[in-house]
C-alpha cells in the first residue's frame, strides 16, 4: 500500500464534534457509516487509509473553516471508503 506524507499536518490539533455521525442503510442491508473527523490524528489516519493527504486540512478544521466526514462501508474484509469536506454552502469529496 502506498503511504502519503503530509508536511503541514498538525497531529495535536483537536476541534469540536458537531454531532453529524450517522449510519445509513441502503438496499439489501448495506450500511454506510459517516463519522466526523475531529483531530489531526484522525485526519492523518484517514489519509493513510485512503493514500492521500487529507491531514493537510487539520488547521482548516481547527479554525472552524470547514469539517471533514469519513464514510465507510465494511464488506467482506475490505472497507469501501469515501470522504467529504463541508464548508458553509459548499461540499465536495476528497
Amino acid at each position: 500500500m502506498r503511504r502519503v506524507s503530509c508536511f503541514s499536518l498538525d497531529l495535536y490539533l483537536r476541534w469540536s464534534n458537531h454531532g453529524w455521525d450517522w449510519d445509513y442503510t441502503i438496499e439489501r442491508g448495506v450500511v454506510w457509516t459517516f463519522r466526523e473527523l475531529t483531530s489531526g490524528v484522525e485526519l492523518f489516519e484517514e489519509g493513510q487509509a485512503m493514500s492521500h493527504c487529507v491531514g493537510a486540512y487539520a488547521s482548516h478544521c481547527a479554525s472552524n473553516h470547514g469539517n471533514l466526514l469519513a464514510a465507510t462501508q465494511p464488506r467482506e474484509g475490505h472497507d469501501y471508503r469515501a470522504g467529504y469536506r463541508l464548508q458553509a454552502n459548499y461540499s465536495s469529496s476528497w
Side-chain angles (χ1 to χ4, degrees):
M1 175 163 53
R2 191 180 110 213
R3 295 289 180 196
V4 176
S5 174
C6 298
F7 299 109
S8 62
L9 179 67
D10 190 338
L11 293 173
Y12 302 103
L13 290 175
R14 296 192 60 77
W15 49 93
S16 297
N17 185 308
H18 293 87
W20 296 336
D21 298 356
W22 80 95
D23 291 335
Y24 179 69
T25 304
I26 57 176
E27 61 203 43
R28 294 183 297 261
V30 174
V31 177
W32 279 93
T33 298
F34 294 83
R35 186 174 58 84
E36 185 178 3
L37 305 176
T38 59
S39 73
V41 170
E42 288 181 339
L43 293 184
F44 175 78
E45 290 171 348
E46 185 69 14
Q48 293 293 296
M50 293 185 69
S51 299
H52 61 63
C53 197
V54 71
Y57 285 102
S59 63
H60 182 79
C61 294
S63 61
N64 207 27
H65 287 102
N67 302 90
L68 296 164
L69 293 175
T72 57
Q73 178 196 60
R75 196 185 282 181
E76 297 178 20
H78 175 76
D79 286 350
Y80 290 94
R81 303 181 83 85
Y84 298 92
R85 179 175 54 129
L86 306 175
Q87 286 180 219
N89 299 319
Y90 179 78
S91 102
S92 68
S93 61
W94 71 69

